[in-house]
Amino acid sequence: MNVKKELLELIRRRIVVLDGAAGTLLQQLGLPQGMSPELWCMEHPEIIQSIHSGYQKAGADIVYTCTFGANRLKLKHYKARQVKKLNMNLSLLARKAAGEGAYVAGDIGPTGHFVKPFGSLAFEEAVDIYKEQVKGLLAGKADIFAIETMMDIQEARAALLAVKELTDAFVMVTMTFEKDGRTLNGTDPVSALITLQSLGADAVGCNCSTGPLAMRKIIASMKPYAKVPLVAKPNAGMPRLSGNKTSFEMGPGQFAACARRLVTAGANMIGGCCGTSPEHIKALKKTLQGRRPLPPERASVCALSSARKTVIIKKDGPLIVIGERINPTGKKELQRELLGNKMSLVKQMAKDQEGEGALALDVNVGVAGINEEKALKKAVEELSVATELPLCIDSSDSRSVEAALRAYPGRALINSISADKEKLKKLLPLARKYGAMFILLPLSGSSVPETARQRIKIIRAVFKQASAAGFTKYDFIIDALAMSIAYNPDAAKEALKTISWCRRQFRCNTVLGLSNISFGMPARKELNSAFLSLARSRGLTAAIANTARLKASYSKAAERVLMNRGKGALKKLTALATKSRSPAPQPAGKGLSPVQKISRAAIEGNKEDMGAYLKEALRAGVPALTIANESIIPAIKKVGDLFEKKEYFLPQLIASAETTKKALHYLEPFLKEQKGGRPKRAIVVLGTVKGDIHDIGKNIVSLMLKNHGFQVIDLGKDVSAEKIVNAAAQHRSSIVGLSALMTTTMIHMKDVIALARKRKLRVKFIVGGAAVTQQYAKSIGAAYGKDGVEAVRMARKLTEKKTS
Amino acid sequence: MKNTVFFDTIPILATKDQVYRRLGFREAKTVVSARQAREIERYMQKAARLVSLKGAASTVAFRKEQDSRIVFSKKILFESRQLAMFLERCEGMLLFAATAGKEIMEAVKRSSKGKDVTEAVVLDAVASETVDAALDWIMGYFNRQLLRENRRLTRNRFSAGYGDFLLENQKKIYDILTLKRLGIAITPECILVPEKSVTAIAGIRGMTDERKKRTA
């Protein structure tokens, strides 16, 4: 029996015990800080061998080689180049120390760089780096492989592919999760599991991260979807840092007692990470003796994943809507972008469809003259970052499909594989290698099978071949073929029959290209909507559709009520109905006089309704000056007070200022007609000083000053002293307002003031900005405005003084 | 620098609480109506779509000379007494940077020029808080690796422009981290563009293991 079979048999019978930490033990035994553990172990082989044999004697079934950082990128830091030799020798040391009593796992850790699309390390380069390490470990007689402490799912995939492309040895992959239950890079445990087990990991799990209690939750969340054994290698509790000293909270007894819960959560292989020792593993072994492992719950999972999300496809679940818009057919702008190697529109389409309720996205970049392989790979990389949704790779070119699948940090769906011999030959192995699901298209040859009976025959034939290649019915979705009823009036009936057969007899999930059914017909929206209802009632699982149109015709809540699914369904539907039937929200000012409404809108910052209220007031004969003096000006003052008392915060202050600005602008022509109008205050020149590009604060002050009647000359940002002083002289301004964000730029305020004094300008200065203080303002002979409200008050004070 | 690690996507966003606090919200005092809350929420969602958070970091081994010189590869890298004090007992340092990207700052610019200043202040606050959170995220990433080597980063970070550590040093950090790759530019005054781009320094310290002490 080979090692893989032996190990799988062992996992079936009992909990397999893994070793504990090496790093923390090496530090205790003299590893200097900042030194490579791998290189130090080669200088002190007896120390690492004592650690390996210590774990083996403690009861570990598997010991890890001390090669966690023995990859090209990490070793380069220590100027070590012989990667293969080092891995081989370290593996041989472990082999010798473990003897026949334990398996040796070639340990593979992160490179310290994030892999594309999440970082700068090219995916193929990462695979190559790991292959170099794997070759060394194989030469050193490692029995199995342990890829561990991965934070980046793409890096874990690269390492896994490196192992799989060199050997069929047993390989386990463990990720490390943060307190929020995700990896630092945002991958949740279930998505990591779906992606890695589909790609061929023989065991998946979690290491480092936390102590055994918190890790229990991670293992429990994976278990319902695991088709492989689960691995847990927790720390000895959390590290505690006190001053410069660190320690782990759990001793061997407590660690072992807590680890029992990992078994009930579903872990099949358990060991220790940071802070654990042979004593911890000895206690663990003793505790786990006689405990029955929970076997993996499934042989297969019908699920798609991205780096940050999993979509489980199940017969009673919600309709899986696959957004169809990323397809250049008939879309000239998208064609232009793709041919120009641009992806902004593709990303925007993804975001739009995600917002409209899509659960996955179809990606097709087929345009005449395009390098499809390159374009599809790029689209997949960019979309992996732009959206959380899993992707459906839509191409008939096998090279493009492979490029996309290799680059995709999740479990994708291939659209599609038909009975065509060439397609089966090329695409089935790709789906197998990369663990992708596929859409089974019941087509054979060039003609479309018209009847359900013909389609069923093809489905059976394709399934036979897929089954022989190791696929189950959970690994694909059947396209029931929606053809236009304009050309075949029975097309809908035959598609529905196919769906019924798939659900009731074949027991497999189905998908439809929904809008095809109404092609060339009038009332397409109504036809599509009715067809979707009929198809769902026959058991349709997924639809490739235009999410914007589907949103209007498909209600998840209504469907759940009709099918009696879930207790909260009726409540949700009632809420939906109330919302859609309720009249448009009443304006906030119902029952108030026109002037009161304006005042209220100004205080609330209600820009939308202000125009209507002003018209209403003017129609009712209220003079514009009365509106300004009795409604708007008091509102401005009140909002300033609310802001000062902290009852309002900045967005409320600004929204109100913008609303009053809009109101005053509207009233301006009416005010001019009236005698006197609104009094104009002094001229203020505003600018952000030279070298500083941060001007949002200055823009707020400008808005506030204008609302208080000041005439503002806004010079913008990064303005020289010369330009500011010239403007002040030219406009005969009473005040100059200067802003700066940083200590390094605020010093230029002094230059402006000095230049103005030199030119003998009778102008006053107000300064403000994040780094500016009252004390600094005083030191340069300026007034201080800590925010917009304060700046207005100061401007009024300075100009009133001048008048008096 | 060859060992610079680039993070082309940092998958985090500032929380609503962080953004509200930055904008002056006070728990028991500030009252926000449902309509105002909806409007702010809409802007925050827009910000989430526009932020494109990236980062870069590099570890540097250094030695100190004359209380104020930070020497790397036989050259004086930085000269600052306060930075040297900050790096007391450190055997290395982490130079790092993060940016919220160009798109959100262009939206802030468009909105703040009178189109919708309320939107601009919310977008600006989200970008600021998110970049700050990104620096914490990068430190978390390195701390996780350093923990295995019995080392850790200093809790606080230092930046060019603090005390006697002149802003001109930002150009050196910019060059070492090759921040151009992240779409960041630097002005002659050493200000990073787009605006919500920041650099920082954290020290790397060794940890004395408590158990080791006990065993001894």
Side-chain angles (χ1 to χ4, degrees):
Chain A
M1 205 188 285
N2 70 18
V3 170
K4 191 170 185 170
K5 279 187 183 164
E6 266 177 31
L7 192 53
L8 286 169
E9 176 55 25
L10 192 64
I11 292 167
R12 199 184 59 78
R13 281 192 285 115
R14 67 169 171 84
I15 303 291
V16 167
V17 177
L18 308 170
D19 69 3
T24 39
L25 285 187
L26 287 172
Q27 285 151 15
Q28 286 178 28
L29 295 168
L31 168 70
Q33 273 169 3
M35 169 104 188
S36 154
E38 292 80 14
L39 297 175
W40 192 76
C41 283
M42 284 315 299
E43 288 170 16
H44 304 86
E46 70 290 351
I47 292 180
I48 187 63
Q49 282 194 301
S50 72
I51 292 175
H52 290 320
S53 64
Y55 279 124
Q56 187 266 317
K57 282 175 193 155
D61 299 302
I62 297 172
V63 296
Y64 285 33
T65 57
C66 183
T67 51
F68 179 79
N71 61 66
R72 198 190 302 163
L73 289 184
K74 284 255 171 167
L75 290 173
K76 196 163 78 180
H77 191 62
Y78 303 100
K79 298 186 171 57
R81 289 206 175 86
Q82 298 198 320
V83 177
K84 195 178 160 191
K85 193 174 167 191
L86 182 65
N87 278 282
M88 182 182 76
N89 289 337
L90 287 167
S91 183
L92 286 171
L93 286 178
R95 170 86 282 153
K96 203 171 163 190
E100 293 300 307
Y103 297 111
V104 171
D107 188 14
I108 295 171
T111 59
H113 288 254
F114 274 20
V115 178
K116 270 193 176 179
F118 306 113
S120 56
L121 185 60
F123 185 75
E124 293 309 329
E125 194 184 342
V127 174
D128 192 54
I129 286 165
Y130 283 123
K131 276 189 176 172
E132 185 182 25
Q133 190 178 4
V134 173
K135 282 176 190 167
L137 292 166
L138 283 171
K141 297 188 168 47
D143 298 307
I144 64 170
F145 289 86
I147 298 163
E148 62 153 322
T149 326
M150 288 286 164
M151 291 176 247
D152 172 7
I153 188 75
Q154 192 69 324
E155 188 173 33
R157 285 183 72 249
L160 180 56
L161 271 175
V163 176
K164 303 288 292 178
E165 288 179 351
L166 290 173
T167 171
D168 66 350
F170 185 96
V171 52
M172 46 187 169
V173 188
T174 53
M175 307 287 295
T176 184
F177 297 94
E178 299 295 307
K179 277 184 197 154
D180 65 357
R182 290 176 176 262
T183 66
L184 203 61
N185 219 7
T187 305
D188 62 281
V190 175
S191 298
L193 171 78
I194 298 292
T195 302
L196 296 167
Q197 71 180 9
S198 306
L199 195 61
D202 297 295
V204 176
C206 174
N207 79 291
C208 211
S209 315
T210 61
L213 286 178
M215 197 172 282
R216 185 190 164 277
K217 285 182 195 160
I218 294 168
I219 297 296
S221 71
M222 286 180 170
K223 195 66 180 176
Y225 308 103
K227 61 174 192 171
V228 294
L230 294 181
V231 189
K233 221 169 180 272
N235 293 339
M238 293 304 288
R240 281 190 301 217
L241 191 68
S242 168
N244 259 356
K245 294 169 188 167
T246 186
S247 64
F248 286 85
E249 61 190 358
M250 286 184 176
Q254 197 188 356
F255 177 79
C258 293
R260 269 191 298 224
R261 299 204 195 170
L262 288 167
V263 180
T264 53
N268 305 89
M269 304 170 86
I270 305 176
C273 203
C274 298
T276 57
S277 64
E279 286 75 40
H280 287 81
I281 299 304
K282 193 174 174 184
L284 180 71
K285 178 84 174 181
K286 196 175 163 194
T287 305
L288 298 179
Q289 211 104 49
R291 289 196 174 264
R292 296 287 298 172
L294 294 172
E297 294 195 0
R298 295 158 174 258
S300 201
V301 192
C302 197
L304 301 172
S305 63
S306 70
R308 295 196 291 276
K309 188 175 183 156
T310 290
V311 173
I312 306 287
I313 304 169
K314 50 186 179 182
K315 64 174 185 174
D316 293 328
L319 179 72
I320 306 293
V321 180
I322 303 170
E324 68 176 12
R325 292 218 287 279
I326 305 175
N327 186 329
T329 311
K331 298 184 183 104
K332 286 198 173 151
E333 201 186 340
L334 182 58
Q335 289 173 8
R336 266 196 304 275
E337 279 238 347
L338 289 170
L339 287 168
N341 199 26
K342 288 181 185 158
M343 291 290 157
S344 339
L345 197 52
V346 167
K347 287 192 276 185
Q348 190 54 51
M349 284 174 157
K351 284 177 185 172
D352 290 347
Q353 292 178 97
E354 190 170 4
E356 289 157 8
L359 289 178
L361 295 175
D362 191 76
V363 187
N364 182 316
V365 296
V367 188
I370 201 168
N371 179 338
E372 192 184 354
E373 188 181 336
K374 205 173 143 194
L376 192 58
K377 180 172 177 269
K378 186 172 181 187
V380 161
E381 282 176 347
E382 300 242 356
L383 288 172
S384 301
V385 173
T387 173
E388 287 189 349
L389 300 184
L391 302 181
C392 176
I393 313 294
D394 186 356
S395 169
S396 55
D397 176 49
S398 59
R399 281 198 308 185
S400 302
V401 172
E402 175 155 29
L405 290 178
R406 206 168 166 84
Y408 185 57
R411 188 188 195 198
L413 177 66
I414 299 173
N415 184 8
S416 54
I417 302 182
S418 69
D420 179 89
K421 273 186 187 166
E422 273 300 297
K423 275 205 160 189
L424 277 172
K425 196 176 148 194
K426 285 181 178 169
L427 293 176
L428 271 186
L430 288 183
R432 187 84 192 126
K433 178 175 179 182
Y434 296 103
M437 287 188 65
F438 64 91
I439 294 177
L440 191 162
L441 192 68
L443 281 182
S444 179
S446 54
S447 62
V448 177
E450 298 277 346
T451 65
R453 185 187 288 249
Q454 290 167 318
R455 292 171 193 179
I456 290 165
K457 198 177 162 191
I458 298 171
I459 292 166
R460 286 189 197 279
V462 175
F463 177 60
K464 198 174 167 190
Q465 292 206 42
S467 185
F471 291 96
T472 73
K473 288 178 186 174
Y474 289 96
D475 294 321
F476 58 85
I477 314 176
I478 294 169
D479 189 333
L481 286 184
M483 308 308 290
S484 173
I485 52 170
Y487 306 116
N488 174 7
D490 286 332
K493 279 202 275 183
E494 294 303 323
L496 294 172
K497 271 191 217 167
T498 310
I499 293 169
S500 295
W501 177 82
C502 288
R503 163 52 49 89
R504 295 200 185 111
Q505 284 166 265
F506 195 62
R507 297 183 183 280
C508 190
N509 291 309
T510 46
V511 64
L512 279 176
L514 190 67
S515 56
N516 292 348
I517 203 74
S518 60
F519 190 75
M521 293 291 290
R524 290 193 70 180
K525 195 176 140 192
E526 286 74 13
L527 283 171
N528 292 346
S529 174
F531 182 54
L532 177 62
S533 302
L534 289 166
R536 279 294 276 170
S537 70
R538 305 294 199 281
L540 180 77
T541 330
I544 300 177
N546 184 327
T547 45
R549 289 182 200 144
L550 193 68
K551 201 178 168 187
S553 61
Y554 171 67
S555 162
K556 214 182 283 182
E559 186 183 287
R560 286 181 67 209
V561 170
L562 287 168
M563 302 309 287
N564 191 21
R565 282 182 204 144
K567 285 178 188 167
L570 184 60
K571 202 173 163 187
K572 271 194 180 168
L573 186 69
T574 311
L576 199 72
T578 314
K579 198 177 162 189
S580 61
R581 272 185 219 133
S582 60
Q586 287 294 316
K590 198 184 173 191
L592 301 174
S593 74
V595 172
Q596 285 170 320
K597 282 181 194 174
I598 291 165
S599 173
R600 188 161 168 167
I603 293 167
E604 262 269 308
N606 182 355
K607 275 181 276 186
E608 292 78 22
D609 296 327
M610 180 56 102
Y613 294 157
L614 288 169
K615 278 181 196 163
E616 188 187 341
L618 291 169
R619 263 203 311 268
V622 184
L625 196 60
T626 308
I627 296 173
N629 288 339
E630 292 178 19
S631 186
I632 296 173
I633 307 300
I636 292 173
K637 192 180 170 308
K638 176 157 188 188
V639 169
D641 291 345
L642 288 170
F643 182 72
E644 296 238 291
K645 287 183 205 156
K646 314 267 185 229
E647 286 176 38
Y648 260 25
F649 72 144
L650 194 58
Q652 292 167 296
L653 174 77
I654 306 301
S656 167
E658 290 193 294
T659 308
T660 49
K661 180 186 163 191
K662 185 179 171 181
L664 291 169
H665 182 73
Y666 185 86
L667 291 177
E668 212 168 86
F670 301 97
L671 289 169
K672 276 181 187 163
E673 284 170 13
Q674 289 184 258
K675 200 181 162 189
R678 198 173 164 232
K680 285 273 180 203
R681 291 187 187 274
I683 296 171
V684 181
V685 165
L686 276 185
T688 300
V689 295
K690 187 165 175 54
D692 207 316
I693 54 166
H694 311 90
D695 68 343
I696 194 163
K698 182 261 301 167
N699 291 341
I700 291 170
V701 170
S702 168
L703 176 69
M704 303 284 292
L705 285 170
K706 281 179 189 166
N707 276 357
H708 282 79
F710 288 93
Q711 297 175 64
V712 177
I713 312 294
D714 188 343
L715 301 176
K717 60 191 173 187
D718 192 11
V719 192
S720 67
E722 188 81 9
K723 192 173 171 187
I724 295 170
V725 172
N726 284 347
Q730 184 197 338
H731 297 283
R732 294 172 183 274
S733 73
S734 312
I735 294 173
V736 170
L738 302 172
S739 84
L741 179 82
M742 302 184 316
T743 48
T744 49
T745 51
M746 74 180 195
I747 50 173
H748 296 306
M749 291 174 163
K750 201 175 167 185
D751 303 340
V752 181
I753 296 172
L755 186 63
R757 299 288 174 254
K758 194 177 162 192
R759 298 225 192 133
K760 301 194 177 357
L761 285 188
R762 291 168 61 87
V763 63
K764 294 186 174 163
F765 287 88
I766 302 175
V767 295
V772 180
T773 60
Q774 172 92 52
Q775 200 182 5
Y776 178 76
K778 200 175 168 190
S779 75
I780 60 172
Y784 176 55
K786 74 171 164 46
D787 53 40
V789 173
E790 182 66 25
V792 169
R793 183 180 302 130
M794 199 48 72
R796 291 180 73 157
K797 194 174 158 192
L798 292 176
T799 47
E800 277 163 11
K801 248 186 189 174
K802 193 182 171 189
T803 323
S804 66
Chain B
M1 197 108 145
K2 281 179 186 169
N3 76 342
T4 299
V5 180
F6 291 100
F7 306 99
D8 286 350
T9 311
I10 298 179
I12 51 165
L13 194 71
T15 63
K16 182 179 165 186
D17 283 355
Q18 287 169 327
V19 175
Y20 265 48
R21 264 199 306 275
R22 187 177 194 96
L23 289 167
F25 185 88
R26 296 290 175 271
E27 196 56 57
K29 282 187 173 175
T30 313
V31 184
V32 184
S33 73
R35 198 195 60 76
Q36 290 168 332
R38 272 198 308 275
E39 188 180 0
I40 298 167
E41 180 62 31
R42 199 174 69 239
Y43 296 142
M44 285 178 66
Q45 282 175 7
K46 182 171 180 180
R49 287 197 301 274
L50 293 170
V51 164
S52 170
L53 203 57
K54 293 172 193 283
S58 187
T59 53
V60 175
F62 70 92
R63 64 188 168 79
K64 271 193 279 183
E65 279 180 4
Q66 300 173 4
D67 288 343
S68 65
R69 286 181 179 171
I70 306 296
V71 179
F72 167 67
S73 280
K74 295 179 185 167
K75 283 182 190 162
I76 299 167
L77 184 60
F78 302 126
E79 196 150 9
S80 156
R81 191 173 291 270
Q82 278 163 305
L83 176 64
M85 273 167 66
F86 172 76
L87 293 173
E88 193 71 51
R89 289 185 292 117
C90 292
E91 59 198 42
M93 62 181 158
L94 180 74
L95 304 181
F96 56 123
T99 179
K102 206 167 103 183
E103 228 182 320
I104 189 157
M105 293 326 294
E106 280 176 355
V108 169
K109 197 171 152 189
R110 279 194 303 273
S111 304
S112 76
K113 278 187 179 158
K115 194 180 143 206
D116 190 341
V117 186
T118 316
E119 176 181 290
V121 298
V122 176
L123 297 187
D124 187 86
V126 172
S128 296
E129 286 295 323
T130 303
V131 166
D132 233 32
L135 294 182
D136 291 340
W137 184 92
I138 293 172
M139 287 177 78
Y141 172 77
F142 279 91
N143 260 333
R144 187 165 278 289
Q145 294 182 57
L146 290 168
L147 179 68
R148 294 182 78 99
E149 299 165 13
N150 211 23
R151 298 191 292 169
R152 69 174 175 88
L153 293 172
T154 48
R155 259 176 222 278
N156 298 327
R157 43 188 182 245
F158 210 83
S159 281
Y162 286 5
D164 68 345
F165 187 46
L166 302 177
L167 189 65
E168 284 74 59
N169 290 297
Q170 186 142 265
K171 175 77 170 85
K172 288 183 186 170
I173 301 173
Y174 178 88
D175 291 337
I176 289 172
L177 296 177
T178 50
L179 294 181
K180 194 177 171 189
R181 192 192 167 281
L182 299 184
I184 302 174
I186 189 161
T187 67
E189 290 81 17
C190 296
I191 293 173
L192 301 177
V193 181
E195 195 182 311
K196 302 299 172 190
S197 305
V198 287
T199 60
I201 297 174
I204 299 172
R205 278 186 190 147
M207 296 192 287
T208 315
D209 195 294
E210 214 172 45
R211 281 162 299 129
K212 182 179 163 185
K213 220 174 174 184
R214 275 207 304 267
T215 317

